[in-house]
Amino acid sequence: MLNNLIDRIKLPFRKDKELILSLYKIIGFYPHNIQLYKQALLHKSVMHRNAKGKPINNERLEFLGDAILDATVGDIVYQHFPGKREGFLTNTRSKLVQRDTLNKLSKEMGIDKLVLSSGHSSSHNSYMSGNAFEALVGAMYLDRGYDACMSFIKKRILSQLINIDKVAYKEINFKSKLIEWSQKNRVKLAFVEVKQTKDKNGSPVFTYKVTIEGVDGGSGTGYSKKESQQNASKKTLEMLKKLPQYIDSVFQAKAERTKMEEEPVENVPDTETESDFIISAEGNAKKKHVNVFSEEVYTDNSRQSAPAEMFSSDNEKDIAPVSDRKDAGNDDFDLSDITADPAKMSKEDIIAKAEEKAFGAE
């Protein structure tokens, strides 16, 4: 019955008939404009050109299909998870339309076998299948409209090939997992770009490696920095899980780093202050000071520090008794005749009285 229906469709080439049969099995309906689907399956490496000399490939349809996928999958996720917040919905949609998911869907549905390429793009196969899937969605949108695309995603993809609930609650971000592990274990993590090259088709290829505490982990290659870092993170997590010697080397490096950070770099400064402002009695025979009369005088410390034998009985004959000295009756500093009550006198008054007593006779 299917062949009879196709036979009634006017096809210029037998290959178009075969293509329509294959597309019907994939998308679930017959194309109206077969040229759109041919273009969707035409990789840029083939270098087809139209009558005006412009290149024809699936890149423009891929751009359109990417936008339609975001809209249809976003609509489905929104309806399927009522009450969930924007972050959860965005994360779930990203998982459903990410390159790895589209590559797997393309291979599962046989889309990758229909892609026309030069045969020299095998290194880029990780992109080619997913790009063709997006371009096919773009062709469907132009050929049959938005509703046809929505029906395709719901009935062919999410009902038969993908469990949306498992995808939503499954963590597949290996980079975020590795970052979380490093933060919990307080180790230093870094993503180092090893090199950036181009494949045979001129597409950029990135290579990154992971270092933990300076110890090299896994490395990964991809057609974007994000993809290469994800691959490097996945390999590093596998190393941490399966290679005890690797995780031991990581924590040994951490221990050496923290030990160096804890050791003082230089001697701690002394907190004792210099006491050279204090004048020692030793070695200073005469010290200059100010007496109570604001006069600069010198004190002979040599007498104070003289040994006791200087004043022994042998020398007592050389020291006249106080009563025999000429100044025995000198009462210059006798303050007994100051009759004012010292308690009612100020310090200045007392000094003035003493000076008057001492120098008043002159």
Side-chain angles (χ1 to χ4, degrees):
M1 179 177 178
L2 178 60
N3 290 332
N4 292 334
L5 181 61
I6 296 177
D7 289 337
R8 291 198 295 269
I9 303 175
K10 294 181 180 181
L11 300 174
F13 302 105
R14 180 175 178 81
K15 287 185 178 180
D16 288 348
K17 179 181 177 180
E18 295 175 353
L19 179 59
I20 288 177
L21 284 172
S22 299
L23 288 172
Y24 179 83
K25 294 177 181 179
I26 292 172
I27 62 180
F29 55 83
Y30 299 112
H32 288 169
N33 186 350
I34 191 61
Q35 296 302 321
L36 288 172
Y37 298 90
K38 283 184 177 181
Q39 185 176 347
L41 299 171
L42 189 61
H43 189 258
K44 64 180 181 180
S45 62
V46 178
M47 297 298 292
H48 272 234
R49 296 183 181 273
N50 60 12
K52 296 181 179 181
K54 293 184 178 181
I56 300 175
N57 54 54
N58 63 2
E59 287 184 333
R60 284 172 54 83
L61 288 173
E62 175 194 340
F63 165 79
L64 181 60
D66 179 64
I68 300 301
L69 272 175
D70 277 347
T72 53
V73 174
D75 189 349
I76 293 170
V77 170
Y78 180 85
Q79 301 295 337
H80 189 81
F81 297 101
K84 289 293 184 180
R85 295 185 176 181
E86 182 269 342
F88 176 86
L89 300 178
T90 300
N91 192 31
T92 302
R93 182 184 62 183
S94 298
K95 293 175 184 177
L96 290 170
V97 301
Q98 70 176 346
R99 186 66 54 194
D100 186 55
T101 303
L102 298 182
N103 288 339
K104 291 178 180 178
L105 286 173
S106 181
K107 293 177 181 178
E108 183 68 25
M109 301 173 75
I111 297 175
D112 61 318
K113 296 178 181 178
L114 300 178
V115 178
L116 297 178
S117 66
S118 64
H120 300 293
S121 58
S122 58
S123 64
H124 204 59
N125 277 340
S126 61
Y127 260 22
M128 189 171 63
S129 297
N131 291 348
F133 184 95
E134 289 179 334
L136 197 62
V137 173
M140 278 188 280
Y141 174 75
L142 294 177
D143 184 44
R144 301 292 291 264
Y146 181 85
D147 290 340
C149 295
M150 177 66 80
S151 177
F152 168 71
I153 299 298
K154 277 185 175 180
K155 296 179 180 180
R156 293 288 292 127
I157 305 301
L158 297 181
S159 295
Q160 300 178 20
L161 299 175
I162 292 180
N163 186 324
I164 189 172
D165 294 299
K166 285 186 176 181
V167 171
Y169 293 103
K170 183 180 180 180
E171 178 57 61
I172 58 174
N173 192 333
F174 300 110
K175 183 178 179 180
S176 64
K177 278 188 172 184
L178 184 60
I179 292 175
E180 182 182 358
W181 179 87
S182 66
Q183 290 175 345
K184 287 182 178 179
N185 290 275
R186 297 182 179 181
V187 295
K188 290 187 175 182
L189 173 68
F191 293 88
V192 181
E193 183 175 355
V194 178
K195 61 181 178 178
Q196 180 179 345
T197 58
K198 291 185 177 180
D199 65 3
K200 296 179 180 179
N201 296 314
S203 300
V205 179
F206 300 90
T207 301
Y208 271 80
K209 72 175 180 180
V210 172
T211 62
I212 307 178
E213 291 292 346
V215 182
D216 289 347
S219 60
T221 302
Y223 289 96
S224 68
K225 293 181 179 181
K226 181 178 180 181
E227 182 183 6
S228 60
Q229 290 177 2
Q230 282 284 351
N231 293 332
S233 298
K234 181 180 180 181
K235 291 181 180 179
T236 304
L237 288 170
E238 291 173 351
M239 291 174 64
L240 290 170
K241 192 172 184 179
K242 299 177 182 179
L243 302 177
Q245 62 271 25
Y246 175 67
I247 196 169
D248 288 344
S249 63
V250 168
F251 282 99
Q252 182 179 355
K254 177 191 174 182
E256 293 176 357
R257 173 181 62 83
T258 53
K259 181 180 179 181
M260 291 179 62
E261 290 178 353
E262 291 173 359
E263 291 179 352
V265 178
E266 58 183 10
N267 294 332
V268 179
D270 194 356
T271 58
E272 294 183 2
T273 57
E274 294 290 338
S275 57
D276 53 356
F277 59 88
I278 299 177
I279 301 175
S280 174
E282 297 180 2
N284 294 285
K286 294 184 178 181
K287 301 299 178 182
K288 178 180 173 182
H289 65 278
V290 180
N291 65 2
V292 293
F293 305 114
S294 299
E295 296 176 336
E296 293 184 355
V297 298
Y298 290 87
T299 302
D300 189 354
N301 292 330
S302 59
R303 291 180 57 86
Q304 297 177 1
S305 59
E309 56 268 16
M310 293 180 62
F311 304 98
S312 61
S313 57
D314 294 336
N315 297 323
E316 286 179 357
K317 59 183 178 179
D318 298 327
I319 302 175
V322 174
S323 57
D324 297 337
R325 291 166 56 187
K326 295 180 180 180
D327 58 351
N330 191 343
D331 55 354
D332 289 347
F333 293 94
D334 183 9
L335 306 181
S336 59
D337 58 341
I338 299 177
T339 57
D341 186 358
K344 296 180 180 181
M345 296 175 65
S346 64
K347 181 178 180 180
E348 290 75 10
D349 293 336
I350 295 176
I351 294 174
K353 282 286 186 180
E355 290 178 343
E356 182 183 354
K357 178 65 176 176
F359 308 106
E362 295 181 357

